[in-house]
Amino acid sequence: MSGSKCTRLGGQLVQQLLDSVDSVLFDCDGVIWRGDQAVPGAPQVIKLLKKHGKKVFFVTNNSTKTRKMYVDKMSTLGFDVAEEEVFGTAYCAAMYLKTACNLQGKVYLMGSDAMKQELEAVGIQQTGLGPDHIFGKQTDWANVPLDPEVKAVLVGFDEHFSYMKLNRALQYIIRSDCLFVGTNRDTRLPLEGGTAVPGTGCLLQAVETAAQRQAATVGKPNRFMFDCVASQFGVDPSRCLMVGDRLDTDIMLGSNCGLKTLLTLTGVSTVDEAEANQRSGCAERQRMVPDYYVESIADLLPALQG
Amino acid sequence: MSGSKCTRLGGQLVQQLLDSVDSVLFDCDGVIWRGDQAVPGAPQVIKLLKKHGKKVFFVTNNSTKTRKMYVDKMSTLGFDVAEEEVFGTAYCAAMYLKTACNLQGKVYLMGSDAMKQELEAVGIQQTGLGPDHIFGKQTDWANVPLDPEVKAVLVGFDEHFSYMKLNRALQYIIRSDCLFVGTNRDTRLPLEGGTAVPGTGCLLQAVETAAQRQAATVGKPNRFMFDCVASQFGVDPSRCLMVGDRLDTDIMLGSNCGLKTLLTLTGVSTVDEAEANQRSGCAERQRMVPDYYVESIADLLPALQG
């Protein structure tokens, strides 16, 4: 990795890059699959990387699935993956509260059933799952019944997000001893066909605005997600490659952790955006320039099959 | 108004200040009432100001009441006020869309029934009022049925705020010709007893984060609210006094519009905060220093009765 960045990866360079790493981290949506379809060739890439002795991990900001659900989906799409290789924000948020915060108490959960399951798997109880519609008068809202055992508010993707949930989160957070954690800050969830729906970042921003306090987040580009992998598997950052489709989360995570970075063009970000970041002269934006890019991770196949 | 600011108003100064103005703008909650109780002496202050030939107006960021509802509440509390003297954000948002934007089309309304009524009063139709719970699968959400006549998204206080409403607002805003307006950015609604619930600013922030675009706002400290009063009643800013309990909305509005400013201590902000702003050396914060302060607007009574 000299000073030259955002190089198209091909020919001899592929083999050189693969030789220089022991571990490869993949984002999922837009990288190894799109919606409900595997990116062509992706299952073979994963299989061959493992065959060549590389450790492979999956790091995703999506908080709506447990590790088990990911493995099931991956299996359906033709990937051979173990639960231990999957690091989603549902799992990582539970790990963060358990190991980094040593949480003693319950979580007020704005999130999914998958997040509930991952919390329970590490022995953390939660309250708050599901709908919570408005009731009563405004003067009563500040006095909604709260669970005295709650010691953390955790915000992930919650399709039942409502004013009452926002209010309940605020009432918990203004207690002096309440932790405040978010899974990730993605502002939109891209869907097939160029459409998008609001992402967890919108919900987190609403709670932060009410709380007048910033949440700690565990998802990319925050380094906790990488630290989670590294601490369990002894990953050397200088011999690790991060592969993703988003400059602001995947490539930024790689830059933040000293990893080699590879942008794949099967998802959200474009080479034009990466090059604009490079030209910007802004240090923050230059952390959103990948070392390399490929059209698809299938471009790694020839070197792996050779 | 010389260079000295944040002066305690009393004695001869009261009469001098009153002689120097023709119009007085009052914020409502925390200034002339608190919750459901009039600030003692406030009805008399308003009555005497009018008797002395001053024009009196009421400017409030609260979007949950029509002008008519305010007059009814004020009447119950002993104030003698006309609808034309009341400028709430429900009314001002309707005026903004009608007069400043010349809106041709419907509004997607995230807000209250009062906002609906004020929109209808100026001939603008709306859709979106009331609950809108999640349904279907994530892949369908970007394709929720939209009203093709909607040409503006308006965000005010909405106790039915939900993920689906946030999503629907996003789907409207990403159309190229959609206006995006918010009533105000207050992050919390203070309630009696030192408690608070999330304010409109939280909801607006969520929509702005999804939209990746900033809304125009009509409420304090944005000058539209003052311009609305001034254009209807020919108010001279240099002979107008803004009276409020919040530095970041009321006093900032006064500074933004070149009005004289008076902080009253019956609400949110304190003299300590005002003085900290003055000492800060920051131009933005120094616009949140009032010319004068009083314990209560009842402190104006002796001069008015004299």
Side-chain angles (χ1 to χ4, degrees):
Chain A
M1 306 310 110
S2 72
S4 108
K5 297 198 78 176
C6 207
T7 307
R8 189 190 179 103
L9 191 65
Q12 293 299 312
L13 264 182
V14 184
Q15 194 59 58
Q16 284 173 31
L17 176 60
L18 291 175
D19 288 346
S20 75
V21 301
D22 303 320
S23 311
V24 186
L25 269 57
F26 287 94
D27 176 40
C28 296
D29 200 22
V31 177
I32 63 167
W33 68 62
R34 294 170 56 119
D36 282 325
Q37 298 221 289
V39 165
Q44 189 70 359
V45 168
I46 306 301
K47 187 176 169 185
L48 289 172
L49 281 169
K50 289 184 176 182
K51 190 179 157 199
H52 286 278
K54 310 298 182 191
K55 286 184 261 188
V56 177
F57 305 101
F58 303 89
V59 288
T60 168
N61 276 359
N62 187 320
S63 62
T64 65
K65 288 187 176 66
T66 61
R67 306 180 106 180
K68 174 78 169 56
M69 291 170 183
Y70 274 113
V71 168
D72 291 347
K73 171 169 182 168
M74 286 162 147
S75 172
T76 306
L77 297 182
F79 295 93
D80 184 17
V81 170
E83 275 188 47
E84 294 69 34
E85 295 166 333
V86 181
F87 293 80
T89 48
Y91 168 76
C92 288
M95 287 301 287
Y96 180 77
L97 289 167
K98 187 72 180 180
T99 62
C101 306
N102 190 25
L103 176 69
Q104 308 292 324
K106 287 189 197 171
V107 164
Y108 176 67
L109 175 61
M110 198 178 274
S112 60
D113 189 67
M115 292 175 70
K116 171 177 184 275
Q117 290 180 45
E118 294 290 17
L119 287 169
E120 286 176 351
V122 299
I124 296 176
Q125 284 188 287
Q126 60 74 44
T127 178
L129 197 64
D132 188 3
H133 303 315
I134 198 76
F135 61 89
K137 292 167 60 180
Q138 191 176 85
T139 44
D140 304 324
W141 298 341
N143 301 312
V144 283
L146 299 182
D147 185 329
E149 291 177 49
V150 166
K151 300 292 179 203
V153 166
L154 173 58
V155 179
F157 186 78
D158 186 352
E159 65 190 52
H160 296 292
F161 185 71
S162 66
Y163 181 78
M164 191 48 111
K165 287 193 152 186
L166 172 61
N167 175 53
R168 225 179 273 266
L170 170 61
Q171 305 308 330
Y172 280 117
I173 292 171
I174 56 184
R175 297 170 167 193
S176 59
D177 61 346
C178 187
L179 296 169
F180 180 21
V181 177
T183 54
N184 63 295
R185 297 189 181 278
D186 297 51
T187 58
R188 291 183 184 178
L189 287 179
L191 302 177
E192 287 301 286
T195 61
V197 294
T200 304
C202 305
L203 316 185
L204 188 56
Q205 192 78 57
V207 181
E208 289 181 327
T209 302
Q212 298 168 7
R213 178 174 152 191
Q214 242 198 334
T217 53
V218 299
K220 300 171 286 184
N222 189 297
R223 60 172 300 132
F224 179 77
M225 196 161 241
F226 173 74
D227 292 341
C228 214
V229 181
S231 68
Q232 292 180 24
F233 290 90
V235 174
D236 173 0
S238 70
R239 292 193 56 83
C240 178
L241 174 66
M242 173 73 215
V243 186
D245 72 314
R246 289 185 74 131
L247 298 169
D248 60 343
T249 53
D250 302 319
I251 303 306
M252 181 76 105
L253 174 75
S255 301
N256 288 346
C257 299
L259 318 182
K260 302 178 203 303
T261 52
L262 173 60
L263 177 71
T264 176
L265 302 177
T266 45
V268 170
S269 299
T270 66
V271 173
D272 281 354
E273 290 165 349
E275 288 174 345
N277 286 339
Q278 189 158 27
R279 285 191 307 267
S280 70
C282 161
E284 175 83 358
R285 288 183 63 185
Q286 284 174 343
R287 287 192 288 153
M288 294 191 283
V289 181
D291 296 318
Y292 303 100
Y293 71 90
V294 284
E295 291 297 321
S296 155
I297 62 165
D299 295 359
L300 303 178
L301 274 181
L304 288 165
Q305 288 164 332
Chain B
M1 304 315 114
S2 72
S4 108
K5 296 197 78 175
C6 207
T7 306
R8 188 189 181 104
L9 191 64
Q12 292 300 311
L13 263 183
V14 183
Q15 193 60 56
Q16 283 174 31
L17 176 60
L18 292 175
D19 287 347
S20 74
V21 301
D22 303 319
S23 312
V24 186
L25 269 57
F26 287 95
D27 176 40
C28 296
D29 200 23
V31 176
I32 63 167
W33 68 62
R34 294 171 56 120
D36 283 324
Q37 299 222 290
V39 165
Q44 188 71 357
V45 169
I46 306 300
K47 188 177 169 185
L48 290 172
L49 282 169
K50 290 184 177 184
K51 190 180 159 201
H52 286 279
K54 310 297 181 190
K55 287 184 260 188
V56 177
F57 305 102
F58 303 89
V59 289
T60 167
N61 276 359
N62 187 321
S63 62
T64 64
K65 288 187 175 67
T66 61
R67 305 181 107 180
K68 174 78 169 56
M69 291 171 184
Y70 274 113
V71 168
D72 291 347
K73 171 168 183 168
M74 287 163 146
S75 172
T76 306
L77 297 183
F79 295 94
D80 183 17
V81 171
E83 275 188 46
E84 293 70 34
E85 295 167 332
V86 180
F87 293 80
T89 49
Y91 168 75
C92 288
M95 286 301 286
Y96 180 77
L97 288 168
K98 186 72 178 180
T99 62
C101 306
N102 190 25
L103 176 68
Q104 308 292 322
K106 287 189 196 170
V107 164
Y108 176 68
L109 175 61
M110 199 178 274
S112 60
D113 190 67
M115 292 176 70
K116 171 177 184 274
Q117 291 180 46
E118 294 289 18
L119 287 170
E120 286 176 352
V122 298
I124 296 176
Q125 284 188 284
Q126 61 72 44
T127 177
L129 198 65
D132 187 3
H133 303 316
I134 199 76
F135 60 90
K137 291 168 58 180
Q138 189 176 85
T139 45
D140 304 324
W141 297 341
N143 302 311
V144 284
L146 299 183
D147 185 329
E149 291 176 48
V150 165
K151 300 291 180 204
V153 166
L154 173 58
V155 178
F157 186 78
D158 186 352
E159 65 189 51
H160 297 293
F161 185 71
S162 67
Y163 182 79
M164 191 48 112
K165 288 192 150 186
L166 171 62
N167 175 52
R168 225 179 272 266
L170 170 60
Q171 305 309 328
Y172 280 118
I173 292 171
I174 56 184
R175 297 170 167 192
S176 58
D177 61 346
C178 187
L179 297 168
F180 180 22
V181 177
T183 54
N184 63 296
R185 297 189 181 278
D186 296 52
T187 59
R188 291 184 184 177
L189 288 179
L191 302 178
E192 287 300 287
T195 62
V197 294
T200 304
C202 305
L203 316 185
L204 188 57
Q205 191 78 56
V207 181
E208 288 181 323
T209 302
Q212 297 169 6
R213 182 175 149 191
Q214 241 198 334
T217 53
V218 299
K220 300 172 285 185
N222 188 296
R223 60 172 300 133
F224 180 76
M225 196 160 241
F226 173 74
D227 292 342
C228 213
V229 180
S231 67
Q232 292 179 25
F233 290 90
V235 174
D236 173 1
S238 70
R239 293 194 55 84
C240 178
L241 173 66
M242 173 71 215
V243 186
D245 71 314
R246 288 184 74 130
L247 298 169
D248 59 343
T249 52
D250 301 320
I251 303 307
M252 181 76 105
L253 175 76
S255 301
N256 287 346
C257 299
L259 318 181
K260 303 179 202 304
T261 52
L262 172 61
L263 177 71
T264 175
L265 302 177
T266 45
V268 170
S269 299
T270 64
V271 172
D272 281 353
E273 290 164 348
E275 288 174 346
N277 287 338
Q278 188 159 26
R279 284 191 308 267
S280 69
C282 162
E284 175 83 358
R285 287 183 64 185
Q286 283 174 344
R287 288 192 287 151
M288 295 189 283
V289 181
D291 296 318
Y292 302 100
Y293 71 90
V294 285
E295 291 296 321
S296 155
I297 61 167
D299 295 359
L300 303 177
L301 274 181
L304 288 165
Q305 289 165 329

